[in-house]
Amino acid sequence: MQWYADFLNKFLDAINVKECYLSGNSLGGKIACEFAFEKGTRVKKLVLVDAAGYPQKGKDIQAIKLARTALGRYVFRYVTPRFIVAKNLNQAYSNPKMVTPELIDRFYDFILRAGNRDAFIAVCNTPQEDLTERIKAIHAPTLILWGGKDPDVPVENADRFHRDIAGSQIIIYNDIGHLPQEEISDSSAADVEKFLGN
């Protein structure tokens, strides 16, 4: 996580951004937390969307479990069947009608980009850190958005973030899965806009 935070810090330096509004979903949320802890003065406001950050006891996305096995690593690195991508998207979205062939193709194309499969395998096989103390040290105004039907990162984690980040705000979308920014893009964007203000 520190590597990702350092990378983001160097990127912001390279594009001459001193402060930013930072948002992250899932693993991106975990990276956003690490960055807000490490480089807090650069984060004006933080938005966490179904964010990782707390250890998951016995619960993981199927693709992550598979990537932790020798066979799974081989499959992801050299074969990566499209049906696995489709299966994981059907798990992530609460509305199956949204998982269109075009959506599956988009995610599949992301996965096939050079380096992405190796990076995914590496992340899946990195021991989980408990970021609780770092999360508690975040001082940026924070909005927590969460899908109440997220099968990957339980909604209880939203309550934990809310409890651990002083002054944070929380919105739970009861009938939504792991990707509220895609499933209900208009309403989740409106909630973020209201939080950011002006």
Side-chain angles (χ1 to χ4, degrees):
M1 287 304 101
Q2 190 167 9
W3 183 91
Y4 281 111
D6 289 342
F7 178 88
L8 180 55
N9 196 51
K10 289 174 185 172
F11 174 73
L12 292 174
D13 285 343
I15 62 172
N16 199 31
V17 171
K18 305 295 181 203
E19 294 179 308
C20 64
Y21 299 107
L22 184 60
S23 179
N25 169 242
S26 198
L27 173 63
K30 189 173 185 178
I31 294 166
C33 284
E34 181 69 16
F35 186 83
F37 170 74
E38 293 276 346
K39 312 292 179 187
T41 56
R42 296 192 87 158
V43 180
K44 292 166 83 171
K45 289 187 177 181
L46 178 65
V47 180
L48 301 176
V49 186
D50 293 69
Y54 299 103
Q56 303 262 94
K57 293 181 181 172
K59 186 170 175 36
D60 257 322
I61 298 169
Q62 287 178 330
I64 293 174
K65 286 181 182 176
L66 189 58
R68 289 183 178 146
T69 68
L71 176 61
R73 286 191 291 275
Y74 177 84
V75 167
F76 277 113
R77 185 171 283 123
Y78 300 111
V79 183
T80 316
R82 188 176 179 277
F83 78 86
I84 291 179
V85 176
K87 186 172 184 179
N88 279 279
L89 285 172
N90 277 302
Q91 182 182 346
Y93 281 77
S94 64
N95 180 358
K97 291 180 181 174
M98 293 195 73
V99 184
T100 63
E102 294 78 19
L103 181 79
I104 296 166
D105 287 342
R106 179 161 58 92
F107 275 84
Y108 189 58
D109 289 343
F110 286 155
I111 289 167
L112 295 184
R113 286 190 67 215
N116 281 0
R117 290 184 283 186
D118 285 331
F120 175 73
I121 291 165
V123 167
C124 292
N125 287 279
T126 300
Q128 288 190 37
E129 277 185 276
D130 186 347
L131 302 183
T132 302
E133 295 310 311
R134 289 179 170 126
I135 291 167
K136 287 179 178 179
I138 292 171
H139 298 296
T142 302
L143 174 64
I144 299 153
L145 303 179
W146 221 274
K149 289 187 174 177
D150 187 339
D152 302 325
V153 188
V155 71
E156 293 79 28
N157 284 18
D159 295 325
R160 251 184 110 172
F161 275 112
H162 185 45
R163 191 171 57 246
D164 286 346
I165 301 175
S168 61
Q169 300 173 39
I170 185 171
I171 300 173
I172 306 295
Y173 305 113
N174 291 323
D175 297 321
I176 301 303
H178 187 61
L179 302 164
Q181 74 278 13
E182 293 197 26
E183 286 201 65
I184 48 166
S185 54
D186 288 346
S187 55
S188 61
D191 288 333
V192 171
E193 188 175 30
K194 182 179 176 183
F195 170 68
L196 297 180
N198 297 325

Short mmCIF file of all heavy atoms in Angstrom, two decimals, residues 51-85:
data_model
loop_
_atom_site.label_atom_id
_atom_site.label_comp_id
_atom_site.label_asym_id
_atom_site.label_seq_id
_atom_site.Cartn_x
_atom_site.Cartn_y
_atom_site.Cartn_z
N ALA A 51 -14.83 0.40 0.20
CA ALA A 51 -13.37 0.35 0.27
C ALA A 51 -12.87 -0.86 1.04
O ALA A 51 -13.46 -1.28 2.04
CB ALA A 51 -12.84 1.63 0.93
N ALA A 52 -11.75 -1.41 0.57
CA ALA A 52 -11.01 -2.40 1.35
C ALA A 52 -10.23 -1.62 2.42
O ALA A 52 -10.14 -0.40 2.37
CB ALA A 52 -10.07 -3.18 0.44
N GLY A 53 -9.64 -2.34 3.36
CA GLY A 53 -8.85 -1.67 4.40
C GLY A 53 -8.77 -2.46 5.68
O GLY A 53 -7.80 -2.36 6.42
N TYR A 54 -9.79 -3.26 5.93
CA TYR A 54 -9.79 -4.12 7.11
C TYR A 54 -9.61 -5.57 6.65
O TYR A 54 -10.13 -5.95 5.61
CB TYR A 54 -11.10 -3.98 7.88
CG TYR A 54 -11.37 -2.59 8.37
CD1 TYR A 54 -12.29 -1.76 7.73
CD2 TYR A 54 -10.69 -2.08 9.48
CE1 TYR A 54 -12.55 -0.47 8.18
CE2 TYR A 54 -10.94 -0.79 9.94
CZ TYR A 54 -11.87 0.01 9.28
OH TYR A 54 -12.11 1.28 9.72
N PRO A 55 -8.90 -6.38 7.44
CA PRO A 55 -8.74 -7.79 7.04
C PRO A 55 -10.09 -8.48 6.91
O PRO A 55 -10.99 -8.25 7.70
CB PRO A 55 -7.93 -8.39 8.20
CG PRO A 55 -7.26 -7.24 8.86
CD PRO A 55 -8.19 -6.07 8.68
N GLN A 56 -10.22 -9.31 5.88
CA GLN A 56 -11.44 -10.08 5.65
C GLN A 56 -11.21 -11.48 6.20
O GLN A 56 -10.34 -12.18 5.71
CB GLN A 56 -11.73 -10.17 4.16
CG GLN A 56 -11.85 -8.83 3.47
CD GLN A 56 -13.29 -8.42 3.33
OE1 GLN A 56 -13.82 -7.72 4.17
NE2 GLN A 56 -13.93 -8.85 2.28
N LYS A 57 -11.97 -11.86 7.17
CA LYS A 57 -11.79 -13.19 7.78
C LYS A 57 -12.60 -14.22 7.02
O LYS A 57 -13.82 -14.24 7.12
CB LYS A 57 -12.18 -13.15 9.25
CG LYS A 57 -11.22 -12.30 10.07
CD LYS A 57 -11.59 -12.27 11.52
CE LYS A 57 -10.62 -11.39 12.30
NZ LYS A 57 -11.04 -11.18 13.69
N GLY A 58 -11.90 -15.05 6.24
CA GLY A 58 -12.54 -16.14 5.53
C GLY A 58 -13.48 -15.73 4.42
O GLY A 58 -14.25 -16.52 3.92
N LYS A 59 -13.41 -14.45 4.01
CA LYS A 59 -14.33 -13.98 2.97
C LYS A 59 -13.51 -13.24 1.93
O LYS A 59 -12.82 -12.29 2.25
CB LYS A 59 -15.36 -13.04 3.60
CG LYS A 59 -16.45 -12.60 2.65
CD LYS A 59 -17.51 -11.89 3.43
CE LYS A 59 -18.61 -11.29 2.62
NZ LYS A 59 -19.08 -11.93 1.48
N ASP A 60 -13.58 -13.68 0.71
CA ASP A 60 -12.85 -13.04 -0.36
C ASP A 60 -13.59 -13.22 -1.68
O ASP A 60 -14.36 -14.15 -1.85
CB ASP A 60 -11.44 -13.62 -0.51
CG ASP A 60 -10.38 -12.72 0.09
OD1 ASP A 60 -10.51 -11.49 -0.04
OD2 ASP A 60 -9.44 -13.24 0.70
N ILE A 61 -13.31 -12.32 -2.59
CA ILE A 61 -13.84 -12.43 -3.94
C ILE A 61 -13.28 -13.71 -4.55
O ILE A 61 -12.11 -14.05 -4.35
CB ILE A 61 -13.41 -11.18 -4.75
CG1 ILE A 61 -13.99 -9.92 -4.12
CG2 ILE A 61 -13.82 -11.30 -6.22
CD1 ILE A 61 -13.42 -8.63 -4.65
N GLN A 62 -14.12 -14.42 -5.31
CA GLN A 62 -13.71 -15.71 -5.88
C GLN A 62 -12.43 -15.59 -6.71
O GLN A 62 -11.55 -16.45 -6.64
CB GLN A 62 -14.83 -16.29 -6.73
CG GLN A 62 -15.98 -16.82 -5.91
CD GLN A 62 -17.11 -17.36 -6.77
OE1 GLN A 62 -17.33 -16.89 -7.87
NE2 GLN A 62 -17.82 -18.33 -6.24
N ALA A 63 -12.30 -14.53 -7.49
CA ALA A 63 -11.11 -14.35 -8.33
C ALA A 63 -9.85 -14.22 -7.48
O ALA A 63 -8.78 -14.71 -7.84
CB ALA A 63 -11.27 -13.13 -9.23
N ILE A 64 -9.98 -13.58 -6.31
CA ILE A 64 -8.83 -13.42 -5.41
C ILE A 64 -8.43 -14.77 -4.83
O ILE A 64 -7.26 -15.12 -4.78
CB ILE A 64 -9.14 -12.39 -4.31
CG1 ILE A 64 -9.28 -10.99 -4.93
CG2 ILE A 64 -8.07 -12.40 -3.22
CD1 ILE A 64 -9.72 -9.91 -3.97
N LYS A 65 -9.42 -15.54 -4.40
CA LYS A 65 -9.13 -16.89 -3.88
C LYS A 65 -8.42 -17.72 -4.93
O LYS A 65 -7.44 -18.41 -4.63
CB LYS A 65 -10.43 -17.59 -3.46
CG LYS A 65 -11.05 -17.08 -2.19
CD LYS A 65 -12.32 -17.87 -1.90
CE LYS A 65 -13.01 -17.36 -0.66
NZ LYS A 65 -14.28 -18.04 -0.41
N LEU A 66 -8.91 -17.65 -6.16
CA LEU A 66 -8.31 -18.42 -7.25
C LEU A 66 -6.88 -17.98 -7.53
O LEU A 66 -5.99 -18.81 -7.75
CB LEU A 66 -9.17 -18.27 -8.51
CG LEU A 66 -8.84 -19.18 -9.69
CD1 LEU A 66 -8.94 -20.65 -9.30
CD2 LEU A 66 -9.77 -18.88 -10.86
N ALA A 67 -6.63 -16.68 -7.47
CA ALA A 67 -5.29 -16.14 -7.77
C ALA A 67 -4.27 -16.51 -6.70
O ALA A 67 -3.07 -16.32 -6.89
CB ALA A 67 -5.35 -14.63 -7.93
N ARG A 68 -4.74 -17.07 -5.58
CA ARG A 68 -3.82 -17.48 -4.52
C ARG A 68 -3.38 -18.93 -4.66
O ARG A 68 -2.62 -19.43 -3.84
CB ARG A 68 -4.46 -17.25 -3.16
CG ARG A 68 -4.58 -15.78 -2.81
CD ARG A 68 -5.16 -15.56 -1.44
NE ARG A 68 -5.20 -14.14 -1.15
CZ ARG A 68 -6.14 -13.54 -0.43
NH1 ARG A 68 -7.12 -14.26 0.08
NH2 ARG A 68 -6.11 -12.26 -0.22
N THR A 69 -3.90 -19.61 -5.70
CA THR A 69 -3.52 -21.00 -5.93
C THR A 69 -2.58 -21.07 -7.14
O THR A 69 -2.59 -20.19 -8.00
CB THR A 69 -4.75 -21.88 -6.22
OG1 THR A 69 -5.32 -21.49 -7.48
CG2 THR A 69 -5.80 -21.74 -5.12
N ALA A 70 -1.77 -22.13 -7.21
CA ALA A 70 -0.84 -22.30 -8.34
C ALA A 70 -1.59 -22.38 -9.66
O ALA A 70 -1.22 -21.73 -10.65
CB ALA A 70 0.03 -23.54 -8.13
N LEU A 71 -2.67 -23.16 -9.69
CA LEU A 71 -3.46 -23.28 -10.90
C LEU A 71 -4.09 -21.94 -11.28
O LEU A 71 -4.07 -21.52 -12.44
CB LEU A 71 -4.55 -24.34 -10.73
CG LEU A 71 -5.53 -24.50 -11.91
CD1 LEU A 71 -4.78 -24.91 -13.18
CD2 LEU A 71 -6.62 -25.49 -11.56
N GLY A 72 -4.62 -21.26 -10.28
CA GLY A 72 -5.26 -19.96 -10.52
C GLY A 72 -4.29 -18.94 -11.07
O GLY A 72 -4.62 -18.17 -11.99
N ARG A 73 -3.07 -18.91 -10.51
CA ARG A 73 -2.06 -17.97 -11.01
C ARG A 73 -1.75 -18.24 -12.48
O ARG A 73 -1.61 -17.32 -13.28
CB ARG A 73 -0.79 -18.03 -10.16
CG ARG A 73 -0.95 -17.37 -8.81
CD ARG A 73 0.37 -17.21 -8.09
NE ARG A 73 0.94 -18.47 -7.66
CZ ARG A 73 0.63 -19.08 -6.52
NH1 ARG A 73 -0.26 -18.57 -5.70
NH2 ARG A 73 1.21 -20.23 -6.19
N TYR A 74 -1.65 -19.52 -12.83
CA TYR A 74 -1.38 -19.88 -14.23
C TYR A 74 -2.54 -19.43 -15.12
O TYR A 74 -2.33 -18.83 -16.18
CB TYR A 74 -1.18 -21.39 -14.36
CG TYR A 74 -0.96 -21.82 -15.80
CD1 TYR A 74 0.31 -21.75 -16.37
CD2 TYR A 74 -2.03 -22.24 -16.57
CE1 TYR A 74 0.50 -22.11 -17.69
CE2 TYR A 74 -1.85 -22.60 -17.90
CZ TYR A 74 -0.58 -22.54 -18.46
OH TYR A 74 -0.40 -22.87 -19.77
N VAL A 75 -3.77 -19.72 -14.68
CA VAL A 75 -4.95 -19.37 -15.47
C VAL A 75 -5.01 -17.86 -15.70
O VAL A 75 -5.19 -17.39 -16.82
CB VAL A 75 -6.24 -19.88 -14.78
CG1 VAL A 75 -7.49 -19.25 -15.42
CG2 VAL A 75 -6.31 -21.39 -14.86
N PHE A 76 -4.82 -17.08 -14.61
CA PHE A 76 -4.91 -15.63 -14.75
C PHE A 76 -3.78 -15.06 -15.61
O PHE A 76 -3.99 -14.13 -16.37
CB PHE A 76 -4.91 -14.94 -13.38
CG PHE A 76 -6.28 -14.92 -12.76
CD1 PHE A 76 -6.54 -15.64 -11.61
CD2 PHE A 76 -7.30 -14.18 -13.32
CE1 PHE A 76 -7.80 -15.62 -11.04
CE2 PHE A 76 -8.57 -14.16 -12.76
CZ PHE A 76 -8.81 -14.88 -11.62
N ARG A 77 -2.60 -15.65 -15.48
CA ARG A 77 -1.45 -15.09 -16.20
C ARG A 77 -1.48 -15.40 -17.69
O ARG A 77 -1.13 -14.57 -18.52
CB ARG A 77 -0.15 -15.61 -15.57
CG ARG A 77 1.09 -14.98 -16.18
CD ARG A 77 2.35 -15.34 -15.40
NE ARG A 77 2.43 -14.56 -14.18
CZ ARG A 77 2.52 -15.09 -12.95
NH1 ARG A 77 2.53 -16.39 -12.78
NH2 ARG A 77 2.62 -14.32 -11.90
N TYR A 78 -1.93 -16.60 -18.07
CA TYR A 78 -1.80 -17.02 -19.46
C TYR A 78 -3.12 -17.27 -20.19
O TYR A 78 -3.15 -17.23 -21.41
CB TYR A 78 -0.95 -18.30 -19.53
CG TYR A 78 0.43 -18.10 -18.97
CD1 TYR A 78 0.82 -18.71 -17.78
CD2 TYR A 78 1.36 -17.29 -19.61
CE1 TYR A 78 2.08 -18.52 -17.25
CE2 TYR A 78 2.64 -17.10 -19.10
CZ TYR A 78 2.99 -17.72 -17.91
OH TYR A 78 4.24 -17.53 -17.39
N VAL A 79 -4.18 -17.55 -19.45
CA VAL A 79 -5.42 -17.93 -20.13
C VAL A 79 -6.51 -16.88 -19.90
O VAL A 79 -7.07 -16.33 -20.83
CB VAL A 79 -5.91 -19.33 -19.67
CG1 VAL A 79 -7.15 -19.73 -20.44
CG2 VAL A 79 -4.80 -20.36 -19.84
N THR A 80 -6.83 -16.62 -18.64
CA THR A 80 -7.85 -15.66 -18.23
C THR A 80 -9.15 -15.81 -19.03
O THR A 80 -9.46 -14.99 -19.91
CB THR A 80 -7.33 -14.20 -18.35
OG1 THR A 80 -6.01 -14.11 -17.84
CG2 THR A 80 -8.23 -13.25 -17.57
N PRO A 81 -9.91 -16.85 -18.76
CA PRO A 81 -11.18 -17.04 -19.47
C PRO A 81 -12.15 -15.88 -19.23
O PRO A 81 -12.27 -15.38 -18.11
CB PRO A 81 -11.73 -18.33 -18.89
CG PRO A 81 -10.58 -19.00 -18.23
CD PRO A 81 -9.65 -17.91 -17.80
N ARG A 82 -12.84 -15.50 -20.28
CA ARG A 82 -13.80 -14.39 -20.19
C ARG A 82 -14.94 -14.74 -19.22
O ARG A 82 -15.47 -13.85 -18.56
CB ARG A 82 -14.35 -14.11 -21.59
CG ARG A 82 -15.21 -12.87 -21.72
CD ARG A 82 -15.60 -12.64 -23.18
NE ARG A 82 -16.45 -11.47 -23.33
CZ ARG A 82 -17.76 -11.48 -23.14
NH1 ARG A 82 -18.38 -12.60 -22.78
NH2 ARG A 82 -18.47 -10.38 -23.31
N PHE A 83 -15.31 -16.02 -19.12
CA PHE A 83 -16.43 -16.39 -18.25
C PHE A 83 -16.12 -16.11 -16.78
O PHE A 83 -17.03 -15.86 -15.99
CB PHE A 83 -16.85 -17.86 -18.45
CG PHE A 83 -15.97 -18.88 -17.80
CD1 PHE A 83 -16.17 -19.24 -16.47
CD2 PHE A 83 -14.94 -19.48 -18.50
CE1 PHE A 83 -15.36 -20.20 -15.86
CE2 PHE A 83 -14.13 -20.43 -17.90
CZ PHE A 83 -14.33 -20.78 -16.58
N ILE A 84 -14.82 -16.14 -16.40
CA ILE A 84 -14.46 -15.81 -15.02
C ILE A 84 -14.72 -14.33 -14.75
O ILE A 84 -15.22 -13.94 -13.69
CB ILE A 84 -12.98 -16.17 -14.72
CG1 ILE A 84 -12.82 -17.69 -14.71
CG2 ILE A 84 -12.52 -15.57 -13.40
CD1 ILE A 84 -11.41 -18.17 -14.46
N VAL A 85 -14.40 -13.48 -15.72
CA VAL A 85 -14.68 -12.05 -15.60
C VAL A 85 -16.18 -11.83 -15.47
O VAL A 85 -16.64 -11.09 -14.59
CB VAL A 85 -14.11 -11.28 -16.82
CG1 VAL A 85 -14.48 -9.80 -16.75
CG2 VAL A 85 -12.60 -11.46 -16.92
#
